[in-house]
Amino acid sequence: MEKPKILLIIPAYNEEESILRVCREIEAVRPDIDYVVINDGSTDNTKQVLEENNLNHINLVTNLGIGGAVQTGYKYALENGYDIAIQYDGDGQHDVNYAANICEPLINGEADFCIGSRYLDKTTSGFQSTPMRRFGKNIISSIINTFWKFKVTDPTSGFRAANKKIIEKFASDYPSDYPEPETLVSVLKDNFKVTEVPVNMRERETGTSFVSIGSSSFYMIKVSLAIILDSIFKQK
Amino acid sequence: MTITLQLALIGITLIYMYFILRSMKLKKMHPSFSIFWLFSGVVLIFLALVPQFSEWVSYKLGFATPSNMIFVLTIFMAFYLIFNLTIAVSKETQKNVTLVQEISILKKKIAQIENKIDNK
């Protein structure tokens, strides 16, 4: 693949404080790659920030949640003929310097889908999340490993790259409730090649996670059930 | 079953049927749901008109009283309906998501085209 067209999909819900900085950083570090901010019906001034600063964006006419927002990005990538789409957080957690690393296996044809992991190489990432979250992530990893014989170190990572085939798949079908682990299962189900590369993640600067800490154990039960059910119904 | 209860049941189910038929006439309901409601109305009228039937069936099936059997029957019917409604709602939700996404992408495209025209 020569000079692939790369798009960063940045879902943003109430990220007025960080979104401008995140976009400016991408423009400065990687002027060669495009980005699109998906404003998921934010109730703060995210929309105004995006318009005033001329940041490439799509305003969802109503709030869809993370799954629907990210899928809009994949649809946009498909319509505009991008070769690779990278999911990227709007809160400053992800580091655009690693965009090259995460795309490499896709460009080389080693994988169709690549997850940026903060646990694969502990020296790369300064931010390792809380013990509680690591415990939850281990449960999800072992469920996926049991069903699919695939060792994933960071199943909930939102920093991931998809090639054209996966973009097409996600544009037509994307889970809404627990998109990160569920999309991984759906990609494994379709026999796509998946790999992980170590990336750096920073601590969230502003805003709150889509998953609140108070409900995280309930979240864990629901995610586990969802991916077990997804895995049991192995037929497409 | 006393005659008073039977008359009351027939009266109530007739009113019930009236509302179902009226909503069908006004096309307020999707045909697949109106068939279900119509069917439920017919069953209830039949049970009210021929109490011997429900007495006989409930005796054969081992219900203590015919009313118990009718309760079970209506609960099953309600379950069936709720199940189908859940599926209908999920389908609608998915359609809505797709619509929101497509409209939002279109709005962006329109804004881009407008910009191009303005700058000419």
Side-chain angles (χ1 to χ4, degrees):
Chain A
M1 211 190 288
E2 47 167 304
K3 203 78 189 104
K5 261 181 93 183
I6 302 174
L7 176 74
L8 288 177
I9 298 168
I10 312 171
Y13 179 67
N14 291 350
E15 303 282 9
E16 57 175 10
E17 288 162 45
S18 61
I19 196 69
L20 180 61
R21 191 158 21 87
V22 168
C23 293
R24 289 284 181 252
E25 190 192 2
I26 295 165
E27 288 164 0
V29 178
R30 291 296 302 269
D32 56 319
I33 55 183
D34 298 342
Y35 64 83
V36 60
V37 179
I38 314 292
N39 175 22
D40 189 14
S42 297
T43 51
D44 65 355
N45 289 321
T46 305
K47 189 177 170 185
Q48 284 79 345
V49 173
L50 292 168
E51 273 160 12
E52 278 161 21
N53 296 286
N54 226 350
L55 308 170
N56 188 37
H57 69 284
I58 294 172
N59 289 310
L60 293 184
V61 292
T62 175
N63 176 272
L64 289 183
I66 179 75
V70 170
Q71 190 183 26
T72 312
Y74 283 109
K75 287 187 173 174
Y76 179 84
L78 183 67
E79 279 187 21
N80 293 284
Y82 283 97
D83 300 305
I84 293 174
I86 305 175
Q87 259 172 263
Y88 193 80
D89 275 5
D91 59 8
Q93 257 193 312
H94 297 160
D95 186 345
V96 72
N97 288 298
Y98 287 85
N101 306 40
I102 203 171
C103 287
E104 209 182 73
L106 274 59
I107 296 170
N108 296 341
E110 290 162 23
D112 301 301
F113 190 60
C114 180
I115 299 169
S117 168
R118 74 204 105 159
Y119 305 109
L120 201 59
D121 172 15
K122 294 225 162 45
T123 53
T124 318
S125 183
F127 173 52
Q128 293 281 329
S129 192
T130 59
M132 194 53 208
R133 289 210 164 189
R134 281 206 298 276
F135 176 67
K137 167 239 29 155
N138 283 336
I139 294 176
I140 298 175
S141 294
S142 47
I143 294 173
I144 291 175
N145 193 20
T146 311
F147 283 100
W148 300 98
K149 300 281 164 277
F150 177 78
K151 284 206 168 64
V152 54
T153 58
D154 203 350
T156 55
S157 163
F159 193 16
R160 34 185 55 198
N163 72 2
K164 219 159 188 169
K165 283 184 276 179
I166 308 265
I167 291 174
E168 264 172 48
K169 175 185 160 61
F170 284 173
S172 70
D173 180 28
Y174 199 81
S176 58
D177 295 345
Y178 318 104
E180 278 86 16
E182 276 194 76
T183 43
L184 175 58
V185 170
S186 79
V187 163
L188 291 168
K189 212 182 225 181
D190 284 1
N191 292 318
F192 286 113
K193 277 179 282 173
V194 185
T195 188
E196 276 190 311
V197 294
V199 295
N200 174 37
M201 284 199 202
R202 298 175 281 224
E203 223 153 332
R204 177 184 300 283
E205 286 157 5
T206 56
T208 49
S209 167
F210 275 97
V211 185
S212 78
I213 296 144
S215 62
S216 56
S217 49
F218 193 41
Y219 168 87
M220 271 309 303
I221 295 167
K222 288 194 289 183
V223 179
S224 306
L225 267 175
I227 56 175
I228 288 172
L229 286 176
D230 277 353
S231 301
I232 289 173
F233 297 116
K234 281 190 180 183
Q235 74 272 25
K236 284 170 214 168
Chain B
M1 197 188 289
T2 64
I3 192 75
T4 342
L5 179 62
Q6 194 179 353
L7 284 176
L9 278 176
I10 293 168
I12 290 165
T13 41
L14 281 178
I15 296 168
Y16 177 78
M17 283 299 273
Y18 166 74
F19 280 108
I20 292 167
L21 290 170
R22 198 180 67 149
S23 72
M24 280 173 79
K25 191 167 161 263
L26 299 175
K27 296 203 161 78
K28 275 184 179 173
M29 223 193 293
H30 197 273
S32 60
F33 282 113
S34 49
I35 288 167
F36 169 83
W37 284 111
L38 205 62
F39 176 73
S40 74
V42 171
V43 169
L44 289 179
I45 283 191
F46 175 74
L47 292 176
L49 284 174
V50 196
Q52 294 84 356
F53 177 78
S54 48
E55 277 161 19
W56 179 75
V57 176
S58 62
Y59 171 74
K60 286 284 174 197
L61 291 176
F63 285 98
T65 63
S67 62
N68 278 1
M69 188 193 72
I70 292 171
F71 278 140
V72 169
L73 187 73
T74 47
I75 287 169
F76 278 160
M77 273 160 52
F79 270 149
Y80 173 82
L81 186 69
I82 294 166
F83 181 76
N84 280 293
L85 281 176
T86 313
I87 290 173
V89 168
S90 307
K91 272 190 190 163
E92 291 312 310
T93 308
Q94 189 47 51
K95 285 182 194 167
N96 265 331
V97 168
T98 309
L99 279 177
V100 168
Q101 291 172 333
E102 296 296 337
I103 290 173
S104 307
I105 293 174
L106 278 177
K107 275 181 110 176
K108 178 188 170 58
K109 272 191 189 164
I110 292 170
Q112 279 174 331
I113 294 167
E114 277 177 347
N115 255 333
K116 261 188 200 165
I117 295 169
D118 289 347
N119 292 338
K120 261 182 191 165

